[in-house]
Amino acid sequence: MDKLEQRVKELNKLLYDYGYAYYTLDTPLVSDAVYDQYLNELIALEEQHPSLVLPDSPTQRVGASVSEGFQKVTHTTPMLSLSNAFSEEDLLDFDRRIRGMIDETPTYVCELKIDGLAVSLLYEDGILVRGATRGDGTTGEDITTNIKTIRVVPLRLKDNVTLEARGEVYMSKASFQKLNEERAEREEELAANPRNAAAGSLRQLDSKIAASRNLSMFVYGMGDSEVQNIDAHSEALNYFSVQGLPTNKETRVCSSMEEVIAFVQEWTAKRTDLPYEIDGIVIKVDEYAQQEELGFTAKSPRFAIAYKFPAEEVVTTIIGIDLTIGRTGVITPTAILEPAQVAGSTVQRASLHNEDLIREKDIRIGDRVIIRKAGDIIPEVVGVILEERKGTEIPYEMPTNCPACDSELVRIEEEVALRCVNPTCPAQIQEGIYHFASRNAMNIEGLGEKVVEQLFREQLVKDISDLYKLTVDDLVKLERMGLKSATNLVEAIESSKTNSMERVLFGLGIRHIGEKAAKILSETYHHFDALMLANKEELIQIFEIGEKMADSIITYFEQEEAVQLIERLKEVGLALQYTGKIVDAATLENGLFAGKTVVLTGKLTQLTRQEAKEQIEALGGKVAGSVSKKTDLVIAGEEAGSKLEKATSLGIETWDEQKLLDQLAE
Ligand code: IVH
């Protein structure tokens, strides 16, 4: 065991150093393959010997199981916010106020104001033990498992110190764009800006989702700390850096207000060059002694201020309005603009969302309009400059018929959107084929929007089953399609035939049936034939399948066209079978843990945690990460700590590992 323990420690150290070099210093020491090799070795060792999992092991970053909800956290020192400055005049006032209150001349630290959300990191003896949101400033939420997925956040500091570091978690512009591209592909609502996207990611109860979002962080202040001999904010920032915490390198110590204003002007001009969003500059008095003298108002410190950038707005002309038809038939009007530069990029289109918005803002073709980027990313029309109206502008009328198939558009109940409800509308079918091939559905690489458009136009593909009849000869005739890409695409289509049922089901684009519902239905029915025979009563019995979803499934398979489509998919060779783990519905409903929420804590010696979790789930239980009033049972292994205490205090039933094994054997 000693040797193994030694190796586990070695691997932890190596992976920590490589990770820090890669994520925080941005200077990789080894290739990804080498990193993965060490990581896999560690994962294997930890799986065989769960007792060797160190609290700061890099394997803890991948995200743990879904938690029930977040525990509340009380901030010992409240997390305040800053008062704002909107002009240079405001900044000069701030400086005058400070000089009036202290005797010495202050030195300021200027920092970028990162547009994300404030988070507190608590390290005890050098180990990250808690990550929490700001919440209302006094009480936040414990988001430790999500925080651990952020690569730049060290799970262990260089020294064994106890301190609370505060900073901003954010999503880079690139990750934000990737996220929204994926959402657009799935016809999901887009995130408005990187800040909302980062906040949403941290709120995920499933930390695997947070892990996939590529969040990052900069640390900008010290909370409660036992560290001695730090007398100024700039020293704290240096100290953070030495301890391996991520600090922002664009920070500047300024000895006069002129220098501060120069910094502000510099970044007002350069902000769009950064790979992440900033919404201003934060100016802080450097010396802690002076900070103390200045003190706080009720809401914010007097020793710091946030200068906020004005949102960039630009005037341009609407030269037309285009309509796009989504997979579900929703018609979205988009303004076509005379190209304009806004916040670092050229904008030519801005979504007008729906007819009501056009009415409300009285937008006409030919109008001069103010545009800006919402959250500095998604272009939107702020309003019309009525003073510039010449009278030649043309009011816009939404069509009554679909621009693609000419069938009459309808407005469904309380929806503002107009919809084309013709199931054979070519625009919708085309979007549907594209969705079927997309990453989270059949994942057919090389079948992008442009290719689908051509296949459809050339009548090579009329519905998704035709994809499976395509030959290399068919494909090479398309624009920009070489022999190699054509061969690859045919292979990708071929190999998608054996995809598990849930991918096909999600790919069909049945209303209300997202990825998760498709998975649950596939786990339950195993094959399309069985699902197609299901009735509503049966469907709503399934945990997490609601009435809307059940109705939607029934309505879909009642259509003769749908049944025929599935028939054609069978003919071309799709397996339509669930190939994932089989969970028996009867055991789920009547199993030992049916409907129960179970928490595992402490070290298990005879089962791995994963094994225990799988067995509990197979018997109908849900395994949660933290103890709350909703917990039904806590299984406590050796050296169980706070979770067991909490369970006892809440009067929740607890078992030891042996009792679990005995019960499972029965
Ligand atoms: S210092 C007392 N520094 O801006 C609050 N804040 O209201 C101390 N922010 O909630 C905050 N970048 O989330 C500070 N370099 C920076 C910052 C920063 C972003 C956020 C923070 C805070 C808000 C100010």
Side-chain angles (χ1 to χ4, degrees):
M1 200 57 158
D2 262 359
K3 238 186 173 164
L4 279 181
E5 217 174 313
Q6 186 60 32
R7 182 62 183 157
V8 166
K9 280 202 179 129
E10 256 169 44
L11 288 168
N12 267 282
K13 167 90 173 72
L14 270 176
L15 289 164
Y16 172 84
D17 290 345
Y18 292 160
Y20 179 71
Y22 183 91
Y23 291 106
T24 307
L25 303 180
D26 213 8
T27 44
L29 295 175
V30 292
S31 68
D32 290 359
V34 171
Y35 183 90
D36 287 347
Q37 195 182 338
Y38 285 125
L39 185 65
N40 288 334
E41 185 184 342
L42 182 61
I43 293 174
L45 283 175
E46 288 181 349
E47 261 172 20
Q48 288 156 20
H49 310 279
S51 63
L52 295 182
V53 182
L54 299 175
D56 59 342
S57 165
T59 58
Q60 303 303 297
R61 288 203 190 270
V62 291
S65 57
V66 179
S67 80
E68 279 277 275
F70 299 117
Q71 303 282 331
K72 293 268 173 279
V73 166
T74 308
H75 302 294
T76 20
T77 314
M79 292 180 79
L80 301 174
S81 58
L82 296 173
S83 51
N84 293 323
F86 296 98
S87 61
E88 289 177 15
E89 195 46 47
D90 289 349
L91 289 177
L92 292 171
D93 279 346
F94 166 72
D95 182 47
R96 270 192 288 270
R97 262 197 316 274
I98 286 176
R99 284 165 187 272
M101 288 180 71
I102 57 175
D103 299 331
E104 314 86 2
T105 316
T107 299
Y108 294 110
V109 179
C110 291
E111 290 167 15
L112 304 184
K113 185 168 185 296
I114 314 295
D115 200 7
L117 58 150
V119 154
S120 139
L121 306 177
L122 183 62
Y123 289 89
E124 277 172 6
D125 296 326
I127 302 285
L128 176 66
V129 294
R130 195 197 71 195
T133 59
R134 172 176 183 272
D136 62 5
T138 314
T139 318
E141 286 180 321
D142 186 328
I143 50 162
T144 312
T145 39
N146 285 343
I147 287 293
K148 281 187 177 170
T149 68
I150 304 176
R151 295 293 176 157
V152 296
V153 174
L155 303 181
R156 176 171 46 85
L157 298 177
K158 191 167 148 290
D159 299 325
N160 296 340
V161 285
T162 294
L163 63 84
E164 183 202 354
R166 290 173 176 183
E168 198 85 349
V169 168
Y170 67 93
M171 186 181 279
S172 71
K173 290 177 185 169
S175 299
F176 173 70
Q177 197 173 352
K178 183 167 154 273
L179 175 69
N180 264 354
E181 275 166 14
E182 288 168 6
R183 290 200 171 168
E185 226 170 69
R186 297 194 296 260
E187 291 210 347
E188 289 172 4
E189 201 178 325
L190 301 188
N193 53 48
R195 177 168 33 85
N196 285 2
S201 306
L202 282 186
R203 265 199 308 273
Q204 292 293 330
L205 290 175
D206 182 349
S207 56
K208 289 215 180 59
I209 300 181
S212 74
R213 297 285 171 84
N214 257 319
L215 298 175
S216 198
M217 181 172 186
F218 287 121
V219 164
Y220 56 60
M222 189 75 92
D224 290 327
S225 128
E226 287 174 6
V227 185
Q228 306 287 320
N229 302 326
I230 293 183
D231 299 321
H233 178 61
S234 54
E235 287 173 24
L237 293 178
N238 276 334
Y239 181 77
F240 287 146
S241 203
V242 170
Q243 292 302 325
L245 285 159
T247 52
N248 190 293
K249 65 176 193 302
E250 314 296 353
T251 299
R252 193 181 297 165
V253 178
C254 297
S255 50
S256 70
M257 214 50 199
E258 285 73 53
E259 283 176 43
V260 169
I261 288 173
F263 185 89
V264 167
Q265 287 172 345
E266 200 177 312
W267 282 106
T268 307
K270 285 201 306 198
R271 58 187 285 216
T272 54
D273 301 342
L274 290 164
Y276 46 83
E277 295 272 330
I278 61 172
D279 60 343
I281 302 294
V282 181
I283 300 122
K284 304 171 181 173
V285 170
D286 194 21
E287 298 284 336
Y288 280 168
Q290 293 174 5
Q291 288 194 2
E292 256 165 59
E293 226 177 303
L294 289 160
F296 298 83
T297 67
K299 277 187 298 196
S300 47
R302 285 200 194 86
F303 52 80
I305 199 162
Y307 172 83
K308 291 285 204 56
F309 294 132
E312 196 184 339
E313 295 188 340
V314 168
V315 178
T316 187
T317 307
I318 297 198
I319 51 183
I321 290 177
D322 235 11
L323 295 173
T324 57
I325 305 153
R327 172 167 59 86
T328 55
V330 172
I331 312 281
T332 311
T334 304
I336 311 298
L337 307 166
E338 212 152 77
Q341 284 291 118
V342 195
S345 67
T346 310
V347 173
Q348 309 196 50
R349 295 166 71 85
S351 173
L352 296 172
H353 302 288
N354 53 55
E355 194 178 1
D356 289 6
L357 188 123
I358 300 178
R359 288 276 124 71
E360 229 168 75
K361 297 198 169 164
D362 187 19
I363 292 170
R364 305 181 184 184
I365 297 170
D367 265 339
R368 295 285 282 164
V369 289
I370 299 172
I371 59 164
R372 78 165 165 228
K373 287 191 181 172
D376 276 307
I377 297 278
I378 301 165
E380 66 178 21
V381 176
V382 181
V384 176
I385 308 179
L386 293 172
E387 295 74 22
E388 285 213 55
R389 278 241 167 107
K390 297 189 189 73
T392 51
E393 295 77 10
I394 308 160
Y396 185 72
E397 285 291 330
M398 284 290 270
T400 51
N401 293 63
C402 173
C405 70
D406 205 38
S407 65
E408 202 172 323
L409 298 176
V410 297
R411 195 183 268 250
I412 296 173
E413 285 154 45
E414 284 146 30
E415 290 184 355
V416 277
L418 275 180
R419 244 177 227 280
C420 167
V421 289
N422 170 13
T424 61
C425 169
Q428 286 178 58
I429 294 175
Q430 203 172 299
E431 285 294 318
I433 295 171
Y434 176 63
H435 167 75
F436 181 76
S438 68
R439 196 171 328 156
N440 297 318
M442 295 300 268
N443 194 21
I444 303 175
E445 214 173 307
L447 205 57
E449 214 148 1
K450 288 270 172 310
V451 177
V452 171
E453 207 180 293
Q454 290 186 65
L455 288 171
F456 200 75
R457 196 176 346 121
E458 301 299 325
Q459 302 209 347
L460 285 164
V461 172
K462 293 191 205 67
D463 68 47
I464 51 178
S465 70
D466 293 333
L467 289 173
Y468 295 90
K469 298 175 191 154
L470 289 171
T471 63
V472 173
D473 282 349
D474 290 333
L475 291 172
V476 286
K477 289 182 202 136
L478 305 181
E479 291 157 29
R480 290 201 215 162
M481 181 71 77
L483 186 60
K484 180 114 179 51
S485 333
T487 315
N488 287 345
L489 182 49
V490 169
E491 271 169 21
I493 295 173
E494 180 62 28
S495 71
S496 76
K497 284 183 182 173
T498 51
N499 276 351
S500 186
M501 171 174 167
E502 67 274 16
R503 285 187 174 272
V504 187
L505 185 56
F506 173 60
L508 290 178
I510 303 170
R511 285 194 85 187
H512 307 302
I513 305 301
E515 265 178 276
K516 190 161 173 214
K519 181 91 198 291
I520 295 168
L521 290 167
S522 304
E523 276 170 357
T524 316
Y525 289 96
H526 307 170
H527 197 284
F528 262 80
D529 290 343
L531 174 64
M532 288 161 77
L533 291 176
N535 61 34
K536 184 171 169 181
E537 288 66 44
E538 202 180 301
L539 285 167
I540 51 179
Q541 288 298 312
I542 303 170
F543 186 62
E544 288 180 302
I545 298 293
E547 190 146 344
K548 249 193 190 169
M549 292 181 189
D551 281 337
S552 187
I553 285 280
I554 301 288
T555 320
Y556 184 82
F557 288 116
E558 264 169 12
Q559 303 174 89
E560 190 49 38
E561 293 90 345
V563 178
Q564 283 168 5
L565 177 66
I566 303 298
E567 234 7 86
R568 284 200 296 279
L569 289 176
K570 276 188 201 165
E571 276 162 25
V572 293
L574 260 72
L576 304 181
Q577 181 129 27
Y578 178 62
T579 58
K581 242 185 348 207
I582 302 281
V583 197
D584 175 7
T587 337
L588 272 189
E589 271 165 43
N590 310 316
L592 178 60
F593 300 106
K596 292 211 166 124
T597 300
V598 183
V599 172
L600 295 166
T601 183
K603 283 182 201 156
L604 301 182
T605 53
Q606 303 184 58
L607 287 173
T608 66
R609 256 194 195 216
Q610 189 56 30
E611 283 164 356
K613 180 167 184 276
E614 278 170 17
Q615 299 225 31
I616 292 166
E617 283 172 351
L619 291 168
K622 262 209 305 188
V623 176
S626 57
V627 177
S628 72
K629 273 185 245 152
K630 290 191 201 143
T631 311
D632 297 297
L633 174 65
V634 170
I635 296 181
E638 286 171 12
E639 293 167 37
S642 60
K643 289 188 194 177
L644 177 58
E645 271 170 37
K646 183 151 185 210
T648 320
S649 75
L650 288 172
I652 294 166
E653 184 177 359
T654 55
W655 294 0
D656 60 11
E657 186 178 2
Q658 195 50 51
K659 170 126 191 226
L660 172 69
L661 291 167
D662 293 346
Q663 294 284 334
L664 287 175
E666 260 179 44

